[in-house]
Amino acid sequence: MLFDEVALYYEKLESISSRLEMIDVLAELFGKASKEEIKLLVYMTQGLLGPPFDSIETGIAEKYAQLSVEMATGHNHSEIINLYHKSGDMGLVAEEFRKNTKLKRMEHTSHTVNDIYEKLIKISETSGPGSQDAKIKLLSFLISSSSPLGARYIMRLVLGELRLGVGDATILEALSKNATGDRKLKPKLEDAYNICSDLGNVAYVLATKGIPGIEHLGVILFSPIRPALAERLPTAEEILERTGGTCSVESKYDGMRVQAHFNKESKKVRLFSRNLEVITEMFPDIAKALLEDTNCDKCILEGEALAYDDISGTFYPFQETVQRKRKYGVEEASKRLPVVLFAFDLLYCDGESYLSHTYSERRKKLSEVVGKGSVIKLSEMITTSSPKELERYFTSAIERGLEGIVAKDPRAPYIAGARKFSWIKMKRSYKSELSDSIDLVIIGYYFGKGQRAELGFGGLLAAVYNQKRDMFETITKIGTGFTEEQMKMFKSLLDKIHLKKKPARVDSLLEPDFWVEPKYIITVNADEITRSPMHTCGMNHSGKEESGYALRFPRIISDGIRKDKGPEETTTTEEIIEMFSQQKKTKI
Ligand code: AMP
C-alpha cells in the first residue's frame, strides 16, 4: 500500500466530526493493508513507530525538523519560522513548502507504507557523533521525495504529533468492522489487547490467525499486561457484600505501581509503570533483587514500589519515590532511601499464565515466589468476614501512614485493563469534601480577562472519559487557583496542541476559546459532585433527561500535568456517577 493513500485517509479522518464515521473510514483504511503492513499501519495511526512501551522515538526536535524543510525545499529559515509561528504545525509547513519548492523538483517517489516505516526506524536508530546531520538528511530526503500531503504526515509522525484524535477503542472497533463487517468483535479484541498492550500485534494476529488466534493469544513475557484497577466503596459492609462475605484486605501503599517481568536465564528484567512505560532504570535495586531473591525462573508480578525504612517501619511519601525519575542520583537515592517492592499479585510464572486463576491461588503462588530478601516483600494482607475487623485493619493502616486499604475478592481472576469490584479501595475520607481526587483531561482553554489577558490564559475546560461511548465528556471549567507560573506553563503546553475545531471524540455543550487535543491529565479535588445541564458527563443521551454531572469548587492538586496517565485513564463517567450516589448516601 502506498503511503500517499494512507495520507489521504488521514486527511479525511482529520476533517470528520463523528466518531462512527471515523470508525468506518479507519476500517476501510485497514482493509487496504496487507497482512505484513497492518501492524505498521496500526502503529502509525496511533502516531507511533512501535508498541507504546517500546518508546521508539526519532530523536528529531523542532529545530532539526525546520532544518530538514530548509534542505528539502530551498526555503530559508525565516520563511519557515514565520509560517510555523502562524500555523503552529510543522506538518503544514513541510506540506506548504514541498508544494512550492524552490529546488528542482525531485521525482515524486511512490513510497510504500513499508518504505516510510523503515526510513523512520532508520532515523530513530541513527545515533552517535554526527547523527543529527544524518537524521536531518534522511528526513529531508523523505520530504523532498514525497507528495506534499505525504510530507505533512511524515513530519507529524517524526515529531510524534500526528493528532488524528483516534483512541485505542476506536482502532479496536475499526479492526472489528474490517474483519467482520460490524463492531461486535471488539470485546474479544479488547481482551487480547489487555493481555499484550500492543494494538499492532492484535491487528497482526487477527489478520494472520483470525478469530481463533485472538481467542488464544497468551501472555507474552516483556509485553506488559494492562493493569487491573480498583473500584471504590465507602464502608466495610458494602465491601464484604460485594465480595461474597469474605475478602482479603491488603495495605494500600502510596508509591509507584510496578509490573515486573523477568527471565533469570537471559538475566533480563523489565519494569513497567502503571502507564506501561519502561522504568527499569529507576529501580536498579529492585531489578537485581528480582533476579537474586525470588524462587522461580520466569515471572510477571506486580507490586507497589516505595521508599521504606525497614528499621523504623516508616513509609516515605510518593514524592520521595518519584524523585528517582531523574536519571542522575538514582544510585545516590538508593543508598539514602532504599526502595522496597511490596508485591501484591502474580500474573505469570514459569510458562503458566495465572490470569484466570483466583486471587487466592495467585497469592499462594506469589508467596512461594517472593523470597526472604529485604527489597521484595509480600504486601501485608489479612482475610476476614467481619466488618469490624476490616475497619480495624483500615484504621491501623491509616495510623501507620498508609493511604488506606485495597480489598480483594478471593474468588476473582485477574481482570486486565478494567476497573471491577474484584479490587475495591477504601481511602481516608475528608468529611465535607469528596473522598477521592479526580483525574481530568484538558480539552480546551479560555483567554484571560483583566490581568490574565496579559498571560493569554484564563482557565481550563476539562472532561472525564466515558468508556462505553469512547468519548470525552465535560465535567467542569477551572478558572481559579492557578499560580502565575502554572498559567504560563499551561498556555505554552496547550498552544502547541490547539485545534481548529472540536475533536470528534469530545462531547461538549460549551465552547472554549481554544479546543485542544485531549492529551494532558490534571488531578483535582472538589467539594462535591452536582447535577448540571451545562456539562455532558453522564447525560442521558437517549432520553429527554438532559442533566449531566459537574464538579463544585474544583482545584488543581497536582503540580501540573500528570505524566503517568493517558487521556483514556482519567476518572470515568461511571465512576463519577458512582461517587455521586455514594456522596448522597453519606449526606443522609
Ligand atoms: P488508585 O490509584 O487510587 O485508583 O488506587 C489503585 C492503585 O493503588 C494501584 O494502581 C496501585 O498502584 C496502588 N496499590 C497500593 N497498594 C496496593 C495493593 N496492595 N494492591 C493493589 N494496588 C495497590
Side-chain angles (χ1 to χ4, degrees):
M1 181 178 194
L2 297 182
F3 187 75
D4 279 347
E5 199 178 348
V6 176
L8 283 169
Y9 275 97
Y10 284 175
E11 189 184 34
K12 204 163 170 187
L13 282 170
E14 268 191 79
S15 67
I16 285 174
S17 49
S18 129
R19 180 177 176 272
L20 289 180
E21 212 183 318
M22 207 170 207
I23 290 167
D24 290 343
V25 173
L26 266 180
E28 199 181 305
L29 167 64
F30 292 153
K32 301 228 160 139
S34 68
K35 286 179 184 165
E36 289 69 39
E37 285 164 339
I38 187 76
K39 193 177 203 168
L40 313 183
L41 190 59
V42 166
Y43 293 144
M44 284 184 180
T45 306
Q46 288 182 286
L48 302 170
L49 295 176
F53 50 88
D54 276 349
S55 314
I56 305 176
E57 280 171 13
T58 56
I60 290 199
E62 250 163 43
K63 196 168 134 212
Y64 297 111
Q66 290 162 8
L67 287 170
S68 309
V69 178
E70 257 183 85
M71 189 186 274
T73 66
H75 284 266
N76 67 34
H77 188 66
S78 58
E79 286 175 296
I80 289 168
I81 294 287
N82 279 344
L83 187 57
Y84 179 51
H85 282 166
K86 257 190 231 151
S87 67
D89 178 354
M90 272 312 288
L92 293 180
V93 174
E95 177 180 13
E96 183 58 29
F97 290 130
R98 172 66 190 87
K99 226 184 272 168
N100 304 306
T101 180
K102 287 185 176 170
L103 302 178
K104 189 168 153 284
R105 226 167 255 276
M106 197 165 157
E107 192 68 22
H108 166 194
T109 327
S110 297
H111 291 297
T112 62
V113 167
N114 268 324
D115 281 346
I116 297 288
Y117 184 79
E118 269 171 26
K119 301 247 164 38
L120 295 179
I121 290 292
K122 191 158 178 210
I123 295 180
S124 78
E125 285 172 349
T126 306
S127 62
S131 61
Q132 283 305 347
D133 280 350
K135 282 177 195 272
I136 292 168
K137 272 193 198 132
L138 282 166
L139 178 56
S140 151
F141 166 77
L142 277 182
I143 293 169
S144 55
S145 61
S146 295
S147 66
L149 193 63
R152 181 203 294 182
Y153 292 106
I154 289 170
M155 181 55 92
R156 288 194 190 161
L157 269 170
V158 162
L159 292 172
E161 293 171 0
L162 192 64
R163 297 203 214 161
L164 296 180
V166 170
D168 293 351
T170 332
I171 292 183
L172 288 170
E173 285 181 42
L175 287 171
S176 164
K177 179 126 204 219
N178 172 44
T180 62
D182 60 38
R183 295 185 282 149
K184 292 200 190 96
L185 193 60
K186 185 194 163 205
K188 277 197 179 147
L189 295 176
E190 195 165 23
D191 286 347
Y193 175 48
N194 285 335
I195 290 177
C196 67
S197 313
D198 183 342
L199 277 181
N201 188 44
V202 171
Y204 177 71
V205 171
L206 181 63
T208 51
K209 298 190 182 141
I211 300 174
I214 290 293
E215 284 168 342
H216 293 112
L217 192 99
V219 172
I220 306 168
L221 194 59
F222 302 114
S223 276
I225 295 163
R226 292 173 63 77
L229 302 170
E231 284 284 358
R232 34 169 103 64
L233 282 176
T235 64
E237 283 81 5
E238 280 168 276
I239 291 177
L240 283 165
E241 206 175 296
R242 281 280 186 165
T243 56
T246 304
C247 70
S248 297
V249 191
E250 296 187 24
S251 300
K252 186 172 192 305
Y253 304 93
D254 185 15
M256 270 184 87
R257 184 168 186 163
V258 171
Q259 190 179 103
H261 292 225
F262 64 87
N263 178 349
K264 285 189 185 159
E265 205 180 291
S266 60
K267 294 203 169 45
K268 187 171 162 189
V269 180
R270 234 176 169 193
L271 307 180
F272 297 97
S273 69
R274 179 186 190 282
N275 201 21
L276 309 184
E277 275 171 327
V278 177
I279 49 166
T280 322
E281 278 185 10
M282 265 178 91
F283 301 113
D285 25 15
I286 292 180
K288 186 163 172 270
L290 286 166
L291 293 178
E292 290 174 1
D293 299 340
T294 51
N295 304 316
C296 64
D297 293 325
K298 289 186 220 157
C299 190
I300 304 178
L301 54 85
E302 270 192 338
E304 192 85 353
L306 73 159
Y308 174 65
D309 180 348
D310 216 351
I311 295 174
S312 65
T314 313
F315 300 97
Y316 285 88
F318 175 68
Q319 281 311 326
E320 295 275 359
T321 312
V322 291
Q323 267 181 15
R324 293 194 171 207
K325 270 211 156 148
R326 286 183 273 120
K327 273 194 197 146
Y328 309 101
V330 165
E331 208 174 307
E332 160 59 32
S334 358
K335 279 189 208 131
R336 200 171 46 86
L337 259 191
V339 163
V340 169
L341 181 72
F342 288 94
F344 54 69
D345 218 319
L346 176 132
L347 316 183
Y348 166 91
C349 189
D350 292 336
E352 191 180 347
S353 165
Y354 276 75
L355 295 181
S356 56
H357 289 234
T358 63
Y359 168 82
S360 303
E361 289 160 354
R362 300 198 307 279
R363 178 80 192 188
K364 183 166 173 287
K365 185 72 188 168
L366 181 69
S367 61
E368 288 164 20
V369 162
V370 171
K372 301 237 172 306
S374 60
V375 178
I376 299 167
K377 294 175 184 284
L378 267 181
S379 64
E380 250 187 48
M381 188 268 268
I382 59 157
T383 297
T384 182
S385 313
S386 146
K388 281 224 167 68
E389 193 179 5
L390 203 160
E391 286 284 357
R392 263 201 307 274
Y393 188 77
F394 172 76
T395 313
S396 85
I398 297 291
E399 279 165 6
R400 283 179 302 138
L402 294 158
E403 248 195 327
I405 52 122
V406 186
K408 301 189 174 170
D409 184 339
R411 310 159 300 178
Y414 186 89
I415 305 175
R419 197 178 290 282
K420 290 275 153 66
F421 281 96
S422 53
W423 286 16
I424 306 166
K425 62 185 171 182
M426 189 160 90
K427 293 206 221 174
R428 255 170 306 194
S429 74
Y430 307 104
K431 296 216 167 108
S432 63
E433 293 177 11
L434 280 179
S435 59
D436 208 349
S437 59
I438 296 174
D439 294 323
L440 304 174
V441 59
I442 303 170
I443 56 163
Y445 72 96
Y446 295 87
F447 276 138
K449 287 197 190 109
Q451 259 192 340
R452 291 181 176 194
E454 270 170 50
L455 296 168
F457 178 86
L460 301 168
L461 178 60
V464 289
Y465 181 56
N466 184 327
Q467 261 170 335
K468 285 204 188 98
R469 299 177 65 216
D470 182 28
M471 295 285 281
F472 299 102
E473 300 176 335
T474 71
I475 186 164
T476 195
K477 284 201 229 176
I478 308 169
T480 50
F482 300 106
T483 61
E484 192 170 322
E485 213 171 286
Q486 272 180 329
M487 290 196 253
K488 285 185 187 150
M489 183 270 301
F490 279 121
K491 164 98 178 119
S492 105
L493 275 180
L494 298 175
D495 269 355
K496 292 205 178 88
I497 55 164
H498 94 245
L499 300 170
K500 290 208 180 73
K501 61 179 185 59
K502 184 170 71 62
R505 291 195 301 139
V506 165
D507 187 4
S508 174
L509 300 172
L510 301 169
E511 178 97 12
D513 292 325
F514 293 106
W515 292 108
V516 298
E517 179 192 347
K519 177 171 178 172
Y520 293 122
I521 310 301
I522 48 171
T523 303
V524 304
N525 268 338
D527 276 9
E528 60 175 338
I529 298 171
T530 55
R531 299 302 306 257
S532 154
M534 304 285 289
H535 288 286
T536 54
C537 167
M539 253 185 191
N540 177 0
H541 293 271
S542 45
K544 283 221 153 11
E545 223 268 85
E546 287 289 309
S547 226
Y549 294 82
L551 299 183
R552 201 167 122 85
F553 298 136
R555 43 204 180 269
I556 295 200
I557 53 168
S558 45
D559 287 344
I561 305 294
R562 275 193 73 151
K563 301 233 164 62
D564 62 334
K565 287 191 175 179
E568 279 93 2
E569 284 156 315
T570 59
T571 304
T572 60
T573 300
E574 268 188 348
E575 284 179 90
I576 295 288
I577 297 172
E578 182 64 35
M579 286 165 93
F580 179 74
S581 70
Q582 281 176 20
Q583 174 186 290
K584 273 210 308 217
K585 275 191 223 153
T586 331
K587 277 190 176 165
I588 288 167

